[in-house]
């Protein structure tokens, strides 16, 4: 039944935590599926390639957003909804909130239109719990990869707006904000504490 999502700017350590959480569920014999966005389906992975291709530098922000939500709609339809209906845990690496932060705030499309189209694409399938792994600008710069995709290649001004977006939306009840500047095991302890509390595990 529960949908758990992970959010944060590049370098926040989402992927490591997701792997650790999947392992935690499996050790307890709890069924759990992991997906990533953009992508997670054959169609979505093709859309991902278009979105992240550095050659597509002329992409309009609206086109970018609509491709992202197309990938999301397919993922919800093909995997997320059916698995939630079976009562499994579903973990997604980025979901609706990435579009609010990156396209709504970062690209300036606005929270309202992004939320409206997100809700259309996902048929109102909202996460039960969202971990926002928060890092500061200094940590972001330190962890920044050499090889960057089209969206990661944006300047610091863009990332600042994305961070502002996350900080605004992460005050809602569904979010758990975690200081992700610290050691990975420490972050994981905080995540598990919250999972056990929320889902009575
Ligand atoms: P991600 O797969 O998390 O990056 P990585 O390859 O480092 O694991 O995400 C790819 C990029 O897509 C990332 O820079 C954020 C961006 N993105 C958006 O701008 N909006 C969205 O809605 C999503 C899902 C991702």
């Amino acid at each position: 039944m529960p949908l758990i999502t992970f959010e944060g700017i590049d370098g926040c350590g989402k992927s490591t935590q997701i792997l650790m959480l999947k392992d935690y569920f499996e050790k307890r014999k709890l069924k759990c599926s992991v997906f990533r966005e953009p992508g997670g389906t054959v169609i979505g992975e093709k859309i991902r390639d278009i979105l992240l291709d550095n050659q597509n530098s002329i992409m309009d922000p609206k086109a970018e957003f609509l491709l992202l939500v197309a990938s999301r709609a397919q993922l919800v339809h093909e995997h997320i909804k059916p698995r939630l209906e079976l009562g499994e845990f579903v973990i997604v690496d980025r979901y609706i909130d990435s579009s609010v932060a990156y396209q709504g705030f970062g690209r300036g499309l606005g929270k309202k239109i992004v939320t409206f189209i997100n809700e259309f694409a996902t048929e109102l399938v909202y996460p039960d719990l969202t971990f926002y792994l928060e890092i500061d600008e200094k940590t972001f710069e330190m962890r920044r990869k050499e090889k960057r995709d089209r969206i990661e290649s944006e300047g610091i001004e863009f990332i600042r707006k994305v961070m502002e977006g996350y900080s605004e939306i992460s005050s809602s009840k569904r979010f758990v904000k975690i200081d992700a500047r610290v050691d990975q095991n420490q972050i994981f302890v905080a995540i598990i504490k919250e999972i056990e509390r929320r889902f009575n595990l």
Side-chain angles (χ1 to χ4, degrees):
M1 186 73 162
L3 173 60
I4 303 166
T5 60
F6 282 77
E7 295 285 349
I9 58 172
D10 300 302
C12 69
K14 285 179 284 104
S15 332
T16 312
Q17 295 303 322
I18 289 172
L19 283 177
M20 289 163 89
L21 184 58
K22 184 174 169 32
D23 192 51
Y24 168 93
F25 283 135
E26 280 170 356
K27 282 199 177 119
R28 276 158 190 77
K29 305 267 178 284
L30 294 165
K31 251 195 144 192
C32 144
S33 308
V34 177
F35 302 100
R36 70 162 177 187
E37 276 209 15
T41 63
V42 173
I43 295 170
E45 291 295 324
K46 288 183 179 167
I47 297 175
R48 180 184 177 93
D49 290 343
I50 300 171
L51 277 164
L52 303 184
D53 186 346
N54 278 308
Q55 290 193 335
N56 293 336
S57 58
I58 59 161
M59 193 182 294
D60 178 73
K62 297 189 288 308
E64 175 181 286
F65 172 53
L66 293 169
L67 284 169
L68 283 158
V69 284
S71 164
R72 182 165 302 137
Q74 187 63 31
L75 182 63
V76 171
H77 167 79
E78 210 178 304
H79 292 306
I80 299 181
K81 258 191 144 176
R83 282 173 169 75
L84 291 177
E85 278 160 16
L86 288 174
E88 294 179 20
F89 278 93
V90 178
I91 305 173
V92 193
D93 187 343
R94 297 194 180 282
Y95 191 53
I96 47 174
D97 305 305
S98 278
S99 285
V100 177
Y102 281 78
Q103 280 65 50
F105 285 79
R107 299 290 193 213
L109 295 182
K111 187 177 163 186
K112 210 170 145 191
I113 189 80
V114 169
T115 303
F116 183 71
I117 299 175
N118 260 339
E119 290 186 344
F120 167 69
T122 59
E123 297 172 27
L124 293 170
V125 175
Y126 266 89
D128 297 283
L129 176 60
T130 299
F131 289 105
Y132 170 40
L133 304 190
E134 190 176 37
I135 53 171
D136 54 18
E137 212 177 295
K138 210 174 102 203
T139 314
F140 167 75
E141 295 280 10
M142 256 164 33
R143 294 185 187 170
R144 220 166 176 196
K145 291 182 281 193
E146 280 297 315
K147 203 170 167 288
R148 296 173 193 159
D149 63 46
R150 190 183 58 85
I151 301 178
E152 285 167 347
S153 304
E154 287 294 334
I156 193 68
E157 277 304 317
F158 175 75
I159 286 299
R160 280 192 193 128
K161 286 190 237 162
V162 174
M163 287 163 82
E164 231 175 81
Y166 273 130
S167 107
E168 189 178 313
I169 60 178
S170 61
S171 55
S172 95
K173 254 177 79 185
R174 145 172 87 79
F175 277 87
V176 173
K177 198 159 43 169
I178 292 182
D179 181 352
R181 293 169 303 177
V182 299
D183 164 84
Q184 284 172 357
N185 291 322
Q186 217 174 315
I187 300 173
F188 190 62
V189 168
I191 288 174
I192 290 304
K193 200 172 142 202
E194 200 56 40
I195 296 269
E196 292 182 344
R197 190 178 73 79
R198 296 237 183 176
F199 306 115
N200 296 319
L201 296 177

